[in-house]
Amino acid sequence: MNENLFTSFIVPMVLGLPLATLIIIFPSLLFPASNRLISNRLISLQQWVLQLVSKQMMGIHNTKGQTWALMLMSLILFIGSTNLLGLLPHSFTPTTQLSMNLGMAIPLWAGTVITGFRNKTKASLAHFLPQGTPTPLIPMLIIIETISLFIQPIALAVRLTANITAGHLLIHLIGGATLALMSISTTMAFITFIILVLLTVLEFAVAMIQAYVFTLLVSLYLHDNT
C-alpha cells in the first residue's frame, strides 16, 4: 500500500505522456448509441434514467433554457461515469483534480451569466442591488454581490473536488487499517472490513449525487439568467 495518501491522485504517466486525456474520453465508450429498432435492457435503462433526470432538471426552464438540455445531460453522464470509474482498484479519478473541475465550472458559469446579460440585461444588473437598499449601503452591497457571483464557479469546483477526494481518502485509510488489524485482531479486522464495504457502497451513491448536484446547480444558474 502507498505510504503517501495522495499518490492515487497523481495523473498517471506512460513514457512521459499524461493519460488524463484518454481517461477523460473513456467514459463516452460506456454509453453506446443503439441502431436497432428494439434496444437491449442496458440502453433502455440508460434512456429511462436520462428521461427521468431531464424531466426533473429541465422542467423549470423556458424555451431558451431548454436548449441547454443536451449539454447538461452530457455533463451529468460524464461526471457520474468518471466518479464511478474512479472507484475501481488502481484507477484514476479526473474529478479529484481541481484544475479539471474549474475547467468545467468556469465556462458553464460564464455561459449562463453571458446568456443572462444578453437576454435579461436589466434583471441581471438588478441582482447586484436589491430593491429598497439604503443609499449608504449601495457600494458595499454591489461589491458583495459581485464577489458572490464570481465565487459560484469556484464553489462548484471545490465542492466536487472535496467530496470525491474525501471519499477516496477514507477508503484508503480504512483499507490500510483493515490490513494492519489482520495480524493483530481478526475480529477487529472483520469489523473494519464491514465498515469499508459500507463506505464503498456510500461512495457509489456520493459519486452519482455529486454529479447530479453539480449539474443541478449549473441548471439553477441557467434558470436565473433565462
Side-chain angles (χ1 to χ4, degrees):
M1 174 165 289
N2 297 320
E3 294 182 0
N4 187 357
L5 293 177
F6 296 94
T7 302
S8 59
F9 302 114
I10 299 175
V11 179
M13 308 282 288
V14 173
L15 300 176
L17 299 176
L19 295 180
T21 304
L22 294 178
I23 295 172
I24 291 172
I25 294 174
F26 179 72
S28 62
L29 303 177
L30 302 177
F31 303 100
S34 176
N35 54 2
R36 299 180 180 179
L37 182 61
I38 301 178
S39 303
N40 57 30
R41 294 179 181 178
L42 179 60
I43 294 180
S44 298
L45 177 62
Q46 170 188 324
Q47 293 174 348
W48 176 79
V49 172
L50 283 177
Q51 289 176 0
L52 180 64
V53 174
S54 61
K55 285 181 180 179
Q56 293 180 349
M57 196 170 295
M58 305 307 298
I60 60 175
H61 291 282
N62 55 21
T63 305
K64 292 181 180 179
Q66 289 177 358
T67 57
W68 285 56
L70 180 59
M71 181 182 296
L72 294 179
M73 291 302 102
S74 301
L75 179 66
I76 192 172
L77 283 176
F78 172 72
I79 298 177
S81 57
T82 50
N83 289 347
L84 291 175
L85 288 173
L87 293 173
L88 297 175
H90 305 288
S91 60
F92 171 73
T93 312
T95 47
T96 57
Q97 306 295 313
L98 182 60
S99 57
M100 174 180 164
N101 295 336
L102 284 172
M104 291 190 296
I106 292 177
L108 291 170
W109 165 83
T112 60
V113 172
I114 293 172
T115 301
F117 278 105
R118 288 183 59 187
N119 298 328
K120 300 194 307 182
T121 306
K122 292 183 179 179
S124 298
L125 292 175
H127 289 163
F128 293 95
L129 188 62
Q131 188 175 4
T133 303
T135 304
L137 296 178
I138 289 178
M140 183 181 299
L141 278 178
I142 291 177
I143 294 174
I144 292 173
E145 291 296 329
T146 303
I147 293 174
S148 67
L149 177 66
F150 283 95
I151 283 178
Q152 287 178 353
I154 300 175
L156 269 179
V158 171
R159 180 187 295 107
L160 179 59
T161 305
N163 280 282
I164 301 302
T165 303
H168 283 61
L169 287 177
L170 279 175
I171 291 176
H172 187 95
L173 290 171
I174 295 177
T178 304
L179 289 176
L181 288 171
M182 288 179 65
S183 59
I184 301 174
S185 173
T186 306
T187 304
M188 291 300 299
F190 180 72
I191 295 174
T192 311
F193 177 74
I194 293 176
I195 295 174
L196 177 62
V197 172
L198 294 176
L199 180 62
T200 304
V201 174
L202 177 63
E203 280 304 305
F204 274 95
V206 169
M208 299 305 299
I209 291 171
Q210 288 305 314
Y212 180 78
V213 168
F214 189 97
T215 310
L216 179 63
L217 289 175
V218 173
S219 176
L220 292 176
Y221 297 156
L222 177 64
H223 178 259
D224 292 337
N225 289 282
T226 54

